[in-house]
Every structure is written in structure tokens, then in C-alpha cells.
């Protein structure tokens, strides 16, 4: 159900607005993080886009880049999928901001139902071919890397064989397990690469790690996270969607199990399964602190704010290893 649109009167500023303005004044980097627009009908895509983009513009384009964490489209009808890609490319292009995209399970709906063909991933292919936008180099890659100042940012993607021989979504191998090329050693090598970064690390993807709201099996192959890992952002578990998230339907902040690393559910950028179009604005401050602001685009307001610790504590994973044997 749509939320009633509410705009503030002149001079009507709440606590979250004041926190946001203070954080913005100290921000060295500003990122808009969203996921799960995920509509099967172009008219719904258009309506949710209009809601989110109009609010974003009303804030004075408050970000330097966009991180889109999967499930941009849904369904198997080719022409509708093309329309939804076109609508989103036009909308996000109008902001003239760089965009990083990590795929999610619904981006593979067409490929899943046409396994006899080479995989067609329309939104992924659109992003890969759009100047200034970034995603995995190949549909078979399960990660890519970007940078924000001194921060290394690792994006984790669903992935599929170029011949549809195997596919990974929902943080597990959905088919072709015997041909899946990534072993525990592959994930360990990526974990070691992250640990070698000279600065702090931010991680992002469609799914969270152990302790998140929904599936995390393959993601957990990357544990323990390096001590330089600061925070994780993910989607998939639409806030307010009782059918899938169940007891965690309203949990927006959790911690990676055995780690002092918060993980933030940013979903979803639609007001059909959830109550309103949601996203998160991330501020990275010059002194290394952060501000995380949860936005309700239907009502043009922030709903809450979170300020992570500037330093994570020692990994509990290391401390508890003796208990697990």
C-alpha cells in the first residue's frame, strides 16, 4: 500500500534533518545506496522511479555516486524487461553520477527460464555498456572492486556461466554444482586480497553475511572478514515484507556474526511489497567516521540515522576459533 505523500512546511526541520545537515557538512564522500526496484510491470517501475528520483532531486542531488545492489528488474517477458532497463537507464543517467551495480537473483529470471540459451541479463549488460557505470567485467565474475577515496569497496555479485552450465543466486549455487568453478580456495584468495588493502574496506552486495536477514551461504565463504572491514550494505530482504523476511521484516541493522562489523539492509526501492520506496544515504567523513541515513522517498523524509564506530573491534571470529575446534 502506498504511503501518503507528506512534505514539510517551511521551517519545519526535525532531528534527522539536523543530524543530516551536520553530517553533510563534514562529508568527504556521499553515496546513494539502493536495491530491489524489482517490478514485473514497467508502469510500476516508472512510478517507483518517479517517487525516488523526484525526492533525490528535491534534496539537491545529495550524492557523488550511486551503489545499486541488485534486483533492478523482475520477470521473463523480454519486451517488458527491455522497457524497465530503458526507464532506469534514462532516470539514473539524468543525475549524471557514476553508478556501481551488483546483480541480484531477479536479474537472472530470464536466464533461469531459458537455460538452453546463452544467458541474457539485460540490466547487467546495459550497465556494463553504459559510459561511467561499473559492474563485473564478466557474467561469470562473483566480485568487482571500486574505490572511494582511501576506501576499497568490494561488490559481490550473483553470477552465471557464459553457457548457462551453472548459476549462483540466493547466495548458493542454483544449478550445475558439479561445474561451479569457485572453490573455498577461490573465496579464501579474495578474502586475503581484501586483507592486503592498505586502507579500510567497505563491502556491498545483494546479500548479507551470517547474521543478516536472509540467505548468506556463499557469502559466508568470505568469513572471517579482515580487520580493515568497516561496514557491509545489502538488499534482498525487503523491509516490511512479512512473507519473506518473517521475524526480521523490520530489521534494518544487524552485525556480521562473530564480528564487530555492522551490516545495513537498504531495501527496497519500491512501495508495493514494502510500505514506501526506501534507500540509504552514506556519508564518509574526513576524519574516518560515517553517517548512515535511511530515507522514505514517498514522504520526503529521513526515518532514522546511524553513526558507526570509527573503528571496529577485534574479530570475535579469531577469539572464538578455539570453541569451534
Amino acid at each position: 500500500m502506498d504511503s501518503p505523500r507528506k512534505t514539510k512546511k517551511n521551517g519545519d526541520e526535525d532531528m534527522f534533518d539536523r543530524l543530516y545537515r551536520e553530517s553533510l557538512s563534514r562529508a568527504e564522500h556521499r553515496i546513494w545506496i539502493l536495491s530491489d526496484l524489482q517490478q514485473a510491470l514497467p508502469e510500476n517501475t516508472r512510478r517507483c522511479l518517479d517517487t525516488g528520483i523526484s525526492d533525490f532531486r528535491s534534496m539537491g542531488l545529495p550524492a557523488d555516486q550511486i551503489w545499486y545492489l541488485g534486483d533492478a528488474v523482475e520477470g521473463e517477458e523480454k519486451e517488458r524487461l527491455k522497457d524497465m532497463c530503458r526507464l532506469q537507464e534514462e532516470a539514473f543517467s539524468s543525475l549524471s553520477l557514476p553508478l556501481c551495480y551488483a546483480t541480484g537473483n531477479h536479474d537472472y529470471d530470464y536466464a533461469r527460464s531459458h537455460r538452453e540459451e546463452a544467458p541474457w541479463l539485460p540490466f547487467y549488460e546495459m550497465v556494463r555498456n553504459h559510459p561511467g557505470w561499473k559492474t563485473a567485467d564478466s557474467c561469470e565474475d562473483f566480485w568487482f572492486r571500486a574505490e572511494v577515496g582511501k576506501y576499497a569497496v568490494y561488490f559481490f555479485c550473483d553470477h552465471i556461466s557464459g553457457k548457462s552450465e551453472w548459476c549462483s543466486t540466493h547466495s548458493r549455487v542454483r544449478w550445475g554444482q558439479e561445474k561451479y568453478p569457485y572453490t573455498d580456495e577461490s573465496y579464501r584468495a579474495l578474502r586475503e586480497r581484501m586483507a592486503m588493502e592498505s586502507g579500510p574496506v567497505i563491502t556491498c552486495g545483494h546479500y548479507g553475511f551470517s547474521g543478516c536477514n536472509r540467505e548468506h551461504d556463499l557469502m559466508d565463504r568470505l568469513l572471517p572478514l579482515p580487520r580493515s572491514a568497516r561496514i557491509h550494505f545489502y538488499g534482498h530482504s525487503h523491509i516490511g515484507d512479512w512473507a519473506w523476511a518473517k521475524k526480521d521484516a523490520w530489521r534494518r541493522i544487524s552485525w556480521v556474526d562473530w564480528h564487530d562489523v555492522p551490516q545495513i539492509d537498504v531495501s527496497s526501492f519500491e512501495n508495493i511489497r514494502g510500505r514506501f520506496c526506501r534507500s540509504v544515504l552514506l556519508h564518509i567523513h574526513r576524519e574516518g567516521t560515517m553517517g548512515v541515513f535511511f530515507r522514505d522517498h514517498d514522504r520526503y523524509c529521513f526515518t532514522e540515522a546511524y553513526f558507526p564506530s570509527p573503528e571496529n573491534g577485534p574479530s570475535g571470529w579469531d577469539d572464538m576459533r578455539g570453541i569451534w575446534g
Side-chain angles (χ1 to χ4, degrees):
M1 179 181 297
D2 293 351
S3 299
R5 177 155 295 195
K6 182 180 75 172
T7 57
K8 294 184 177 67
K9 299 177 182 179
N10 291 337
D12 181 16
E13 183 181 63
D14 64 17
M15 176 182 65
F16 294 126
D17 291 320
R18 293 194 296 272
L19 289 170
Y20 173 78
R21 283 196 302 105
E22 174 63 24
S23 178
L24 184 63
S25 71
R26 298 163 57 189
E28 188 172 23
H29 307 288
R30 308 172 303 160
I31 301 98
W32 189 25
I33 312 176
L34 59 114
S35 74
D36 298 84
L37 178 52
Q38 188 189 321
Q39 298 302 310
L41 299 176
E43 54 265 36
N44 287 342
T45 295
R46 180 182 292 106
R47 182 168 58 80
C48 293
L49 270 176
D50 287 347
T51 297
I53 296 293
S54 64
D55 182 34
F56 188 80
R57 289 188 178 281
S58 78
M59 300 175 70
L61 303 179
D64 307 308
Q65 56 185 277
I66 302 167
W67 297 348
Y68 198 159
L69 305 184
D71 279 7
V73 296
E74 179 181 16
E76 304 163 11
E77 296 188 29
K78 207 162 193 176
E79 292 308 311
R80 285 182 176 177
L81 288 168
K82 289 179 180 178
D83 284 346
M84 288 182 282
C85 291
R86 176 184 55 79
L87 287 168
Q88 293 186 70
E89 183 173 25
E90 291 174 354
F92 291 114
S93 292
S94 73
L95 303 176
S96 300
L97 296 173
L99 180 150
C100 290
Y101 187 72
T103 54
N105 54 288
H106 280 291
D107 297 311
Y108 297 77
D109 284 354
Y110 185 90
R112 187 186 66 240
S113 63
H114 294 76
R115 295 190 200 180
E116 71 282 0
E117 304 174 9
W120 182 58
L121 309 170
F123 199 87
Y124 162 76
E125 292 170 7
M126 179 272 288
V127 171
R128 188 175 59 173
N129 293 315
H130 188 100
W133 291 4
K134 186 178 180 64
T135 187
D137 290 336
S138 164
C139 66
E140 297 190 357
D141 294 342
F142 72 96
W143 66 277
F144 68 94
R145 181 186 181 278
E147 292 181 356
V148 178
K150 66 180 181 181
Y151 291 77
V153 186
Y154 283 82
F155 293 86
F156 308 121
C157 308
D158 282 341
H159 41 294
I160 189 170
S161 160
K163 297 180 179 179
S164 291
E165 294 176 318
W166 52 263
C167 179
S168 169
T169 68
H170 297 83
S171 201
R172 64 182 184 272
V173 182
R174 298 300 301 276
W175 72 80
Q177 287 87 345
E178 70 284 356
K179 295 186 177 181
Y180 184 67
Y182 300 114
T183 63
D184 286 344
E185 181 56 37
S186 304
Y187 285 87
R188 186 179 304 113
L190 176 55
R191 185 172 72 235
E192 291 173 354
R193 177 189 172 120
M194 290 192 290
M196 293 293 291
E197 295 284 354
S198 59
V201 171
I202 296 173
T203 57
C204 301
H206 194 56
Y207 314 105
F209 295 102
S210 180
C212 72
N213 298 349
R214 290 187 63 188
E215 298 95 339
H216 50 80
D217 290 354
L218 281 182
M219 291 289 289
D220 284 359
R221 291 191 183 187
L222 292 167
L223 299 180
L225 293 171
R227 295 181 186 275
S228 55
R230 289 289 314 282
I231 195 168
H232 179 71
F233 296 94
Y234 70 103
H236 189 51
S237 185
H238 299 216
I239 300 300
D241 182 3
W242 294 98
W244 291 99
K246 297 183 170 49
K247 67 180 178 61
D248 296 323
W250 298 105
R251 187 170 66 163
R252 294 171 284 280
I253 305 174
S254 59
W255 266 255
V256 181
D257 284 352
W258 307 105
H259 293 66
D260 185 20
V261 177
Q263 44 186 350
I264 310 297
D265 184 351
V266 306
S267 62
S268 60
F269 200 59
E270 51 82 22
N271 55 19
I272 297 169
R273 283 173 56 173
R275 291 188 176 182
F276 50 82
C277 296
R278 300 172 180 270
S279 71
V280 160
L281 284 160
L282 168 66
H283 292 162
I284 301 176
H285 305 135
R286 289 181 289 273
E287 62 271 30
T289 55
M290 294 181 183
V292 177
F293 295 85
F294 295 84
R295 187 74 177 178
D296 173 346
H297 295 294
D298 289 81
R299 295 184 297 166
Y300 281 46
C301 66
F302 293 110
T303 58
E304 55 202 309
Y306 168 58
F307 299 90
S309 168
E311 293 184 3
N312 296 337
S315 170
W317 185 286
D318 293 336
D319 299 338
M320 301 298 290
R321 192 178 298 278
I323 291 178
W324 296 329

